[in-house]
Amino acid sequence: MAKRSRYRLSRREFVNLVVGALGGIMGAVVGIPIIGYLVSPALRAQKSDAWIPLGPLENYPIDVPTAFNFTRTKVHGWERTVSSYGVYVLRTAEDQAKVFSNVCTHLSCRVKWREDLGQYACPCHDGSFAKNGDVISGPPPRPLDQYETKVEDGKLFIHFVEG
């Protein structure tokens, strides 16, 4: 004689169990991609690099640091941020240029080219940089950051890495 299980499900309990399990599976199949879609932009690490055009090289006089400003738009999740950046272009020859950041390496203040002094001056803590970006005096720990450059068809580009 076969043993009967003492755990018996009624027909109603069995249907409820099957419908609940199928509903949970369908909810997971639909819900997990939706949650992933909503959360993934906030988790994505953003690092971008681009070649920024600074215009024709002939626009920059030889041996005179010239300011150039540009903006970059960054999208992080649903937030859109527009940041402004500045550089100094020092044209060293007919077809060559060095490009320096205008951000002081001490506390990230904006440096200005002072023609009367022949140097970049940081207004915050009296930091001074030579025309080639080297530290002359003050607290800056290193020279001005220099960008990689290239000239194509007479136009100057810098390699800008962000993030």
Side-chain angles (χ1 to χ4, degrees):
M1 183 162 149
K3 263 189 166 176
R4 292 183 78 181
S5 171
R6 60 180 177 194
Y7 301 107
R8 296 201 81 172
L9 289 177
S10 69
R11 201 174 284 157
R12 176 175 293 208
E13 291 170 335
F14 175 76
V15 170
N16 285 342
L17 182 68
V18 170
V19 169
L22 290 176
I25 291 170
M26 287 189 297
V29 166
V30 172
I32 290 174
I34 290 173
I35 291 170
Y37 173 78
L38 294 174
V39 173
S40 69
L43 299 177
R44 230 179 275 141
Q46 297 245 328
K47 184 174 182 176
S48 64
D49 66 333
W51 285 95
I52 307 294
L54 303 186
L57 189 58
E58 65 189 26
N59 289 354
Y60 301 100
I62 293 178
D63 207 37
V64 177
T66 307
F68 184 86
N69 295 307
F70 61 95
T71 59
R72 297 283 293 161
T73 302
K74 187 175 185 180
V75 178
H76 184 53
W78 296 273
E79 179 184 357
R80 177 181 292 264
T81 306
V82 177
S83 300
S84 179
Y85 298 94
V87 297
Y88 280 99
V89 178
L90 178 62
R91 186 170 169 196
T92 56
E94 284 298 321
D95 60 347
Q96 294 178 341
K98 293 183 179 181
V99 180
F100 301 100
S101 171
N102 73 343
V103 176
C104 180
T105 56
H106 176 231
L107 292 176
S108 300
C109 301
R110 302 289 178 172
V111 299
K112 300 277 187 214
W113 172 250
R114 297 275 311 265
E115 187 67 41
D116 57 332
L117 300 174
Q119 63 189 20
Y120 302 98
C122 178
C124 302
H125 300 101
D126 293 327
S128 298
F129 299 90
K131 190 185 284 190
N132 67 355
D134 290 339
V135 177
I136 295 174
S137 66
R142 65 180 198 280
L144 290 173
D145 293 330
Q146 187 173 345
Y147 292 98
E148 179 184 352
T149 62
K150 70 178 179 180
V151 178
E152 289 182 353
D153 298 326
K155 293 186 176 141
L156 178 63
F157 293 85
I158 61 169
H159 187 225
F160 184 75
V161 178
E162 184 177 37

